Amino acid sequence: MQLSTILPSLSKSAGKANVVFFQNNWDVFTEIDKYLKPEQYFFAFPFMVGGGKEDKSIHCAISGLKYSNTPLGEKDGRITPRVEKLSIILDKANLKPVISNQILVWLITHYAVAAGLSAGIMSAGSASKFIENTAIIKTTMKAIREGLAICERMGINPKTEKANRLYLLPLFISVPIAKKIYSNDALQLMFDGHINHSPAEIRQMIDDIIDSGVKYAVITSNLAQLKSYISSNQTNKSK
């Protein structure tokens, strides 16, 4: 979310360094190109790591699930020496690097999924409450589909990424699978870390998807419903 403020500084100071954008990205790629040349940067994402900062302490959770990994890659899909070098470093740290030839597809669709999923968990109040609330899980799955439909309108095909298959299944199949997956202790710690330590970022992600829905003529009623739950919860807590 702070990328727009740091890009001018990166443009002046990057030099010959390889800049790795290791964060959520939705529609900032054109903005990056205004400040950096393609040979100056590439992308990765800490998919299997989560948590948050509390006072002077950092709480971190690392998922050990089979599908958890750290994707990385060049914008144009090439496998370059610098990507291979970072992959070796991540592998030594046991962060299970996976070099992607379509990292932009991964990042953009992940943003849509993360926005919907975070909205659902935030609506429920916690990760443990989320997996017990079938109604919110169903709304969350439909909200994620809305985000993925926007991706399609943007020219990004969600079906080319295996990670998105769960959300495209019929609800009677996807909901029980989601309950099982998200009951994992490490994932619950990660999710709770996100909603407790980055609520402003999550709200921004939700608004980004809703705004893009308007732009690309995709109705985001389910995501808007989750947003209203969050607002209602916050109002009740403040009373």
Side-chain angles (χ1 to χ4, degrees), residues 3-22:
L3 196 56
S4 59
T5 60
I6 199 172
L7 280 172
S9 297
L10 280 177
S11 178
K12 295 176 183 178
S13 60
K16 295 182 179 180
N18 288 306
V19 179
V20 183
F21 292 104
F22 205 51

Side-chain angles (χ1 to χ4, degrees), residues 49 66 89 127 151 154 166 180 211:
V49 181
K66 182 179 179 180
I89 294 170
C151 292
M154 294 166 67
L166 169 64
K180 184 176 181 180
D211 291 346

Side-chain angles (χ1 to χ4, degrees), residues 14-228:
K16 295 182 179 180
N18 288 306
V19 179
V20 183
F21 292 104
F22 205 51
Q23 60 174 35
N24 268 312
N25 286 290
W26 176 243
D27 57 0
V28 297
F29 304 101
T30 303
E31 187 73 11
I32 291 172
D33 286 335
K34 292 179 183 177
Y35 294 93
L36 297 172
K37 297 176 182 178
E39 61 268 22
Q40 289 181 288
Y41 70 90
F42 61 104
F43 296 96
F45 191 83
F47 184 54
M48 63 186 293
V49 181
K53 181 181 179 183
E54 188 173 359
D55 295 325
K56 295 182 180 180
S57 300
I58 294 176
H59 302 282
C60 185
I62 300 177
S63 170
L65 290 177
K66 182 179 179 180
Y67 67 87
S68 297
N69 54 44
T70 305
L72 68 157
E74 296 280 359
K75 185 178 179 180
D76 62 6
R78 290 181 302 125
I79 299 177
T80 58
R82 63 182 181 177
V83 167
E84 292 180 322
K85 184 175 182 179
L86 179 58
S87 179
I88 292 170
I89 294 170
L90 293 171
D91 188 52
K92 289 180 179 178
N94 294 320
L95 290 176
K96 294 164 62 178
V98 174
I99 297 176
S100 172
N101 61 4
Q102 52 174 16
I103 192 66
L104 294 196
V105 174
W106 194 98
L107 287 169
I108 293 170
T109 58
H110 175 264
Y111 195 101
V113 171
L117 184 57
S118 297
I121 294 170
M122 209 167 174
S123 297
S126 71
S128 60
K129 291 179 181 177
F130 175 73
I131 61 170
E132 298 297 329
N133 195 320
T134 301
I136 285 184
I137 293 177
K138 285 182 178 179
T139 304
T140 300
M141 290 294 171
K142 289 187 280 187
I144 290 172
R145 289 179 187 173
E146 291 168 352
L148 295 178
I150 294 169
C151 292
E152 286 198 80
R153 292 287 177 90
M154 294 166 67
I156 300 294
N157 185 358
K159 295 178 182 178
T160 61
E161 272 298 331
K162 292 181 181 179
N164 298 323
R165 290 179 181 175
L166 169 64
Y167 311 107
L168 301 173
L169 293 171
L171 290 177
F172 74 90
I173 298 175
S174 63
V175 170
I177 294 174
K179 286 185 176 183
K180 184 176 181 180
I181 291 173
Y182 299 136
S183 65
N184 177 267
D185 289 341
L187 284 184
Q188 293 208 352
L189 284 171
M190 289 166 63
F191 293 143
D192 285 339
H194 293 157
I195 68 170
N196 291 326
H197 299 285
S198 304
E201 181 178 348
I202 291 170
R203 285 193 291 270
Q204 182 61 59
M205 292 174 71
I206 294 168
D207 287 341
D208 284 345
I209 301 299
I210 291 174
D211 291 346
S212 292
V214 175
K215 180 179 179 180
Y216 291 97
V218 175
I219 296 172
T220 55
S221 55
N222 290 284
L223 188 57
Q225 184 177 342
L226 293 175
K227 181 182 177 180
S228 70

